[in-house]
Amino acid sequence: MPERAADTRRPPSPAGAGALTALTAAVAVWAYTGAVLPGLWSFVIGTLIAVIVLTGILARVAFAGVRAGVSRMLVLLLQVVAAALACTATLAGETGIAGLVPTPRTVQLVGLRLQQSLDEIMNGVAPIAASVPIATLLGLAFAVVVILLDQLVAHRRVLLAAVFSSIVGVMPMLISFGSVNLAWFLMQAIVILLLLRYGARHARHAPLRASTTVAMSSGVLAIVAALVLAPVLPVASALPGTGPMLTVDATLRLGDDLRRPEGVEALTLVTSAAKPPYLRMATLSRFDGDVWRPDRGERVPLGDGFGDLDWTDPIKTVESEVSIHVTGVSSDRLPVPYAPQQVTDAGGGWSAMAVNRTVVSRTADAAGSDYTVQAATAVPTLEQIRASTASGADVPELPDDLPSIIEDLAREVTAGADTDYDRLIALQDWFRAEFTYSLQAPVDEGFDGTGADAVATFLEKRTGYCIHFAGAFALMASNLGMPVRIVVGYLPGAATDQKRGDQILYSVSSDQLHSWPEVHFEGIGWVPFEPTATLGEPTDFIAASAGGGSGEGPEAPAPSSSPTPSSSTDTSGITDAPRDPGSAGATPLRRLDPVPVTLTALGILLVLALPLLARSLVRARRLGRARRGDAMAAWAELNDTLVDLGLRAPQAQTARVRADVLATTRAVDADALAPLVRAVEHASYARAVPDAGNLATPLGAVIAQLSESVDGRQRLLARLLPASLFARRR
């Protein structure tokens, strides 16, 4: 039987393991405060951590005399029961027996709230409101997380606990592509070191005393690694052979990205129309006073189409075909012209949302897609649209405390117009004539957003970028009782010198991200307007006598193909809509290189690998000295290898006795041990120490044989968590 080191120490304290579990869980929870506003969920998770950890401590003390396997199962069972009671009491007490014991009604209520929470996540904005459904989702999720962490720490599976807690903590950043929480990285590095030290001190094969110097040195290295790696994650440079990619983000804050001087090609297209169209990705028509939220709607397989068009005869329809190749966009939605009727060659996983005629997916990515859209455009005459009214869809509900300047200016600017169309044209022309375009002014003046207060300031300062124009136009049109929504997508691309067949190839840059308002007209559908100064082509339908309704005049919704360099469009203020593949809500495109997730993982792995790296350096230094005949360095490396592998290494053993034990119990080659023993004995006892020669070769052979004598799990543990690294030398 393999001889293992005797475990003479006291077993680890349940209270110590519980405290470490609570700290690890709390740090993981902290990462979510940037994605969800503080509220009920914070209290629920705090309660669950306390209940689960205390239950584990008390149960382990109570079952200390029970057989290990049975004790572990009983502790786990009690923790699950305690978590269920705590969840019922904090989340659904009205359905439980005595407010604690869950019932079938509890399960039904929780199931309903979980569905609601998923809908809020997909259609909400970051940070998400701390609602009861969100608290239910996070509470149940962290109940599982805390139980698993407690089991891993208590059973000294510290590497798994470190990796698991790191994955849980980085999830909000990886999903939302938000800014890196540097403080969280620092705390997580400290937690990982505490976990590793706990595992090293309480493992059965660990030395009885630990090196504070080594632990502190590793801590410094971990914190330095976090300081160096964390700041570069959100804007990391691309790896060789990859290019920058536009990534659909969980927010619509694009001001910082669009203020960067460089741009990348987002997509290319060819079209059968006379000029390239706007491309839309999402719409927003719900306003809560601070942000515009994405539209919701039923999804159907893309092959089923988008349903009937919003208009019929006598409104003229102009049909076109647009082929799009996405080159630099990673997104869960496809850019399409309005109004798409059929999309082909997009691949599987895409769905059509008829409510706003967008293409979304839960699983597919737009990157690399090459597809064709059959589109139809309503082209009414001036007489037809003036005869219609802005109605036929829901008017956004506005908060009661909307700044008065919005309504006052809406009435003032449109006072001389007789029809809804003329009122909207008056608004459009007023914005384009009286305002200036600026990406920087909203930042300098402190109103970079589309909340009600930001719009009021924008109307006073009269300068901003596309999102301010679209947001202000939408609020003013809503005040006039008109159904309006904001669209997020792209301006038409710039013509290139390339062709696909006989059609000109247009290139759309990341700088051409844009937002614009649409108003719904009865019998005509959604009509786009262009209030943004200096950008696009303003809507202007013409009379039938002048050729209106032909689809050739400016009423065809195709603005200018390229903005000026200073007019990189921005949707930063509309909303912080989540990446809901099932909603029509626009999500912004934040320029991120394709490697931040990789760098995040590498940063975590680097911290976890610090013990391995430190031990490898020690071994390399000793092998170098052994190669020059240093017997004591060679013997020290042999002893530390035994400690790492969990084998006995009593300090009282002489070199010869230890060699005999290893040859007998570990089947180590005696011929490989012999030169090491002779060299140690000469170095220890001889007056004149002869040249021992190259000891690295026999030492390497002995180490290899010792490693082969233990199982694979022990070999892996010896590499990743070398117990000798924490041994204090005499």
Side-chain angles (χ1 to χ4, degrees), residues 540-562:
D540 185 17
F541 292 95
I542 60 178
S545 60
S550 65
E552 302 297 330
E555 73 275 3
S560 60
S561 61
S562 178

PDB file of all heavy atoms in Angstrom, residues 540-562:
ATOM      1  N   ASP A 540     -39.579  64.261 -46.789  1.00  0.00           N
ATOM      2  CA  ASP A 540     -40.279  65.337 -47.495  1.00  0.00           C
ATOM      3  C   ASP A 540     -41.067  64.720 -48.648  1.00  0.00           C
ATOM      4  O   ASP A 540     -40.562  64.590 -49.756  1.00  0.00           O
ATOM      5  CB  ASP A 540     -39.287  66.377 -48.019  1.00  0.00           C
ATOM      6  CG  ASP A 540     -39.989  67.569 -48.659  1.00  0.00           C
ATOM      7  OD1 ASP A 540     -41.200  67.735 -48.407  1.00  0.00           O
ATOM      8  OD2 ASP A 540     -39.333  68.310 -49.412  1.00  0.00           O
ATOM      9  N   PHE A 541     -42.298  64.311 -48.365  1.00  0.00           N
ATOM     10  CA  PHE A 541     -43.138  63.736 -49.413  1.00  0.00           C
ATOM     11  C   PHE A 541     -43.600  64.848 -50.357  1.00  0.00           C
ATOM     12  O   PHE A 541     -43.779  66.001 -49.941  1.00  0.00           O
ATOM     13  CB  PHE A 541     -44.336  63.016 -48.801  1.00  0.00           C
ATOM     14  CG  PHE A 541     -43.947  61.781 -48.031  1.00  0.00           C
ATOM     15  CD1 PHE A 541     -43.746  61.853 -46.659  1.00  0.00           C
ATOM     16  CD2 PHE A 541     -43.745  60.580 -48.678  1.00  0.00           C
ATOM     17  CE1 PHE A 541     -43.376  60.727 -45.939  1.00  0.00           C
ATOM     18  CE2 PHE A 541     -43.374  59.442 -47.964  1.00  0.00           C
ATOM     19  CZ  PHE A 541     -43.180  59.517 -46.597  1.00  0.00           C
ATOM     20  N   ILE A 542     -43.788  64.509 -51.617  1.00  0.00           N
ATOM     21  CA  ILE A 542     -44.141  65.520 -52.620  1.00  0.00           C
ATOM     22  C   ILE A 542     -45.512  65.225 -53.216  1.00  0.00           C
ATOM     23  O   ILE A 542     -46.026  64.103 -53.130  1.00  0.00           O
ATOM     24  CB  ILE A 542     -43.073  65.585 -53.725  1.00  0.00           C
ATOM     25  CG1 ILE A 542     -42.944  64.245 -54.437  1.00  0.00           C
ATOM     26  CG2 ILE A 542     -41.727  66.012 -53.150  1.00  0.00           C
ATOM     27  CD1 ILE A 542     -41.929  64.256 -55.578  1.00  0.00           C
ATOM     28  N   ALA A 543     -46.059  66.264 -53.793  1.00  0.00           N
ATOM     29  CA  ALA A 543     -47.422  66.162 -54.331  1.00  0.00           C
ATOM     30  C   ALA A 543     -47.460  65.248 -55.546  1.00  0.00           C
ATOM     31  O   ALA A 543     -46.462  65.056 -56.248  1.00  0.00           O
ATOM     32  CB  ALA A 543     -47.943  67.548 -54.695  1.00  0.00           C
ATOM     33  N   ALA A 544     -48.652  64.700 -55.814  1.00  0.00           N
ATOM     34  CA  ALA A 544     -48.818  63.795 -56.954  1.00  0.00           C
ATOM     35  C   ALA A 544     -48.507  64.503 -58.267  1.00  0.00           C
ATOM     36  O   ALA A 544     -47.936  63.913 -59.191  1.00  0.00           O
ATOM     37  CB  ALA A 544     -50.231  63.230 -56.967  1.00  0.00           C
ATOM     38  N   SER A 545     -48.866  65.776 -58.346  1.00  0.00           N
ATOM     39  CA  SER A 545     -48.632  66.521 -59.579  1.00  0.00           C
ATOM     40  C   SER A 545     -47.152  66.719 -59.871  1.00  0.00           C
ATOM     41  O   SER A 545     -46.752  66.943 -61.003  1.00  0.00           O
ATOM     42  CB  SER A 545     -49.323  67.882 -59.490  1.00  0.00           C
ATOM     43  OG  SER A 545     -48.804  68.620 -58.383  1.00  0.00           O
ATOM     44  N   ALA A 546     -46.298  66.608 -58.810  1.00  0.00           N
ATOM     45  CA  ALA A 546     -44.849  66.778 -58.985  1.00  0.00           C
ATOM     46  C   ALA A 546     -44.126  65.441 -59.022  1.00  0.00           C
ATOM     47  O   ALA A 546     -42.906  65.394 -58.909  1.00  0.00           O
ATOM     48  CB  ALA A 546     -44.292  67.648 -57.873  1.00  0.00           C
ATOM     49  N   GLY A 547     -44.876  64.339 -59.156  1.00  0.00           N
ATOM     50  CA  GLY A 547     -44.252  63.012 -59.222  1.00  0.00           C
ATOM     51  C   GLY A 547     -44.272  62.263 -57.921  1.00  0.00           C
ATOM     52  O   GLY A 547     -43.606  61.229 -57.786  1.00  0.00           O
ATOM     53  N   GLY A 548     -44.989  62.744 -56.911  1.00  0.00           N
ATOM     54  CA  GLY A 548     -45.076  62.055 -55.639  1.00  0.00           C
ATOM     55  C   GLY A 548     -45.684  60.683 -55.774  1.00  0.00           C
ATOM     56  O   GLY A 548     -46.560  60.450 -56.600  1.00  0.00           O
ATOM     57  N   GLY A 549     -45.208  59.756 -54.941  1.00  0.00           N
ATOM     58  CA  GLY A 549     -45.705  58.390 -54.982  1.00  0.00           C
ATOM     59  C   GLY A 549     -44.998  57.523 -55.978  1.00  0.00           C
ATOM     60  O   GLY A 549     -45.308  56.343 -56.103  1.00  0.00           O
ATOM     61  N   SER A 550     -43.980  58.073 -56.654  1.00  0.00           N
ATOM     62  CA  SER A 550     -43.273  57.271 -57.654  1.00  0.00           C
ATOM     63  C   SER A 550     -42.165  56.432 -57.055  1.00  0.00           C
ATOM     64  O   SER A 550     -41.673  55.495 -57.674  1.00  0.00           O
ATOM     65  CB  SER A 550     -42.657  58.194 -58.713  1.00  0.00           C
ATOM     66  OG  SER A 550     -41.659  59.018 -58.129  1.00  0.00           O
ATOM     67  N   GLY A 551     -41.745  56.812 -55.841  1.00  0.00           N
ATOM     68  CA  GLY A 551     -40.626  56.108 -55.244  1.00  0.00           C
ATOM     69  C   GLY A 551     -39.296  56.639 -55.696  1.00  0.00           C
ATOM     70  O   GLY A 551     -38.259  56.150 -55.283  1.00  0.00           O
ATOM     71  N   GLU A 552     -39.281  57.669 -56.496  1.00  0.00           N
ATOM     72  CA  GLU A 552     -38.029  58.221 -56.997  1.00  0.00           C
ATOM     73  C   GLU A 552     -37.653  59.523 -56.306  1.00  0.00           C
ATOM     74  O   GLU A 552     -36.550  60.000 -56.415  1.00  0.00           O
ATOM     75  CB  GLU A 552     -38.136  58.472 -58.511  1.00  0.00           C
ATOM     76  CG  GLU A 552     -38.476  57.220 -59.314  1.00  0.00           C
ATOM     77  CD  GLU A 552     -37.401  56.153 -59.194  1.00  0.00           C
ATOM     78  OE1 GLU A 552     -36.230  56.523 -59.020  1.00  0.00           O
ATOM     79  OE2 GLU A 552     -37.738  54.969 -59.271  1.00  0.00           O
ATOM     80  N   GLY A 553     -38.593  60.160 -55.640  1.00  0.00           N
ATOM     81  CA  GLY A 553     -38.326  61.449 -55.021  1.00  0.00           C
ATOM     82  C   GLY A 553     -37.791  61.303 -53.625  1.00  0.00           C
ATOM     83  O   GLY A 553     -37.515  60.220 -53.138  1.00  0.00           O
ATOM     84  N   PRO A 554     -37.647  62.429 -52.953  1.00  0.00           N
ATOM     85  CA  PRO A 554     -37.074  62.396 -51.611  1.00  0.00           C
ATOM     86  C   PRO A 554     -37.955  61.725 -50.577  1.00  0.00           C
ATOM     87  O   PRO A 554     -37.519  61.470 -49.478  1.00  0.00           O
ATOM     88  CB  PRO A 554     -36.876  63.888 -51.284  1.00  0.00           C
ATOM     89  CG  PRO A 554     -37.799  64.616 -52.212  1.00  0.00           C
ATOM     90  CD  PRO A 554     -37.932  63.784 -53.425  1.00  0.00           C
ATOM     91  N   GLU A 555     -39.223  61.411 -50.968  1.00  0.00           N
ATOM     92  CA  GLU A 555     -40.057  60.731 -49.984  1.00  0.00           C
ATOM     93  C   GLU A 555     -39.608  59.301 -49.763  1.00  0.00           C
ATOM     94  O   GLU A 555     -39.964  58.672 -48.783  1.00  0.00           O
ATOM     95  CB  GLU A 555     -41.536  60.741 -50.427  1.00  0.00           C
ATOM     96  CG  GLU A 555     -41.869  59.806 -51.587  1.00  0.00           C
ATOM     97  CD  GLU A 555     -41.594  60.469 -52.931  1.00  0.00           C
ATOM     98  OE1 GLU A 555     -41.104  61.597 -52.950  1.00  0.00           O
ATOM     99  OE2 GLU A 555     -41.874  59.833 -53.961  1.00  0.00           O
ATOM    100  N   ALA A 556     -38.817  58.743 -50.694  1.00  0.00           N
ATOM    101  CA  ALA A 556     -38.284  57.411 -50.466  1.00  0.00           C
ATOM    102  C   ALA A 556     -37.311  57.471 -49.303  1.00  0.00           C
ATOM    103  O   ALA A 556     -36.394  58.266 -49.299  1.00  0.00           O
ATOM    104  CB  ALA A 556     -37.576  56.912 -51.729  1.00  0.00           C
ATOM    105  N   PRO A 557     -37.488  56.654 -48.292  1.00  0.00           N
ATOM    106  CA  PRO A 557     -36.703  56.796 -47.071  1.00  0.00           C
ATOM    107  C   PRO A 557     -35.278  56.318 -47.257  1.00  0.00           C
ATOM    108  O   PRO A 557     -34.927  55.214 -46.883  1.00  0.00           O
ATOM    109  CB  PRO A 557     -37.455  55.927 -46.055  1.00  0.00           C
ATOM    110  CG  PRO A 557     -38.147  54.919 -46.884  1.00  0.00           C
ATOM    111  CD  PRO A 557     -38.496  55.585 -48.174  1.00  0.00           C
ATOM    112  N   ALA A 558     -34.454  57.153 -47.864  1.00  0.00           N
ATOM    113  CA  ALA A 558     -33.053  56.812 -48.039  1.00  0.00           C
ATOM    114  C   ALA A 558     -32.215  58.055 -47.842  1.00  0.00           C
ATOM    115  O   ALA A 558     -32.002  58.831 -48.745  1.00  0.00           O
ATOM    116  CB  ALA A 558     -32.817  56.232 -49.431  1.00  0.00           C
ATOM    117  N   PRO A 559     -31.720  58.289 -46.645  1.00  0.00           N
ATOM    118  CA  PRO A 559     -30.943  59.480 -46.380  1.00  0.00           C
ATOM    119  C   PRO A 559     -29.569  59.396 -47.001  1.00  0.00           C
ATOM    120  O   PRO A 559     -29.193  58.400 -47.584  1.00  0.00           O
ATOM    121  CB  PRO A 559     -30.852  59.501 -44.858  1.00  0.00           C
ATOM    122  CG  PRO A 559     -30.944  58.078 -44.475  1.00  0.00           C
ATOM    123  CD  PRO A 559     -31.853  57.441 -45.466  1.00  0.00           C
ATOM    124  N   SER A 560     -28.813  60.483 -46.844  1.00  0.00           N
ATOM    125  CA  SER A 560     -27.484  60.524 -47.453  1.00  0.00           C
ATOM    126  C   SER A 560     -26.637  59.378 -46.971  1.00  0.00           C
ATOM    127  O   SER A 560     -26.757  58.908 -45.861  1.00  0.00           O
ATOM    128  CB  SER A 560     -26.811  61.845 -47.120  1.00  0.00           C
ATOM    129  OG  SER A 560     -26.681  61.980 -45.717  1.00  0.00           O
ATOM    130  N   SER A 561     -25.750  58.937 -47.824  1.00  0.00           N
ATOM    131  CA  SER A 561     -25.050  57.686 -47.584  1.00  0.00           C
ATOM    132  C   SER A 561     -23.982  57.762 -46.542  1.00  0.00           C
ATOM    133  O   SER A 561     -23.556  56.746 -46.026  1.00  0.00           O
ATOM    134  CB  SER A 561     -24.432  57.190 -48.900  1.00  0.00           C
ATOM    135  OG  SER A 561     -23.499  58.130 -49.374  1.00  0.00           O
ATOM    136  N   SER A 562     -23.512  58.931 -46.211  1.00  0.00           N
ATOM    137  CA  SER A 562     -22.403  58.984 -45.267  1.00  0.00           C
ATOM    138  C   SER A 562     -22.417  60.262 -44.486  1.00  0.00           C
ATOM    139  O   SER A 562     -22.546  61.343 -45.039  1.00  0.00           O
ATOM    140  CB  SER A 562     -21.067  58.855 -46.014  1.00  0.00           C
ATOM    141  OG  SER A 562     -19.995  58.947 -45.113  1.00  0.00           O
TER     142      SER A 562
END
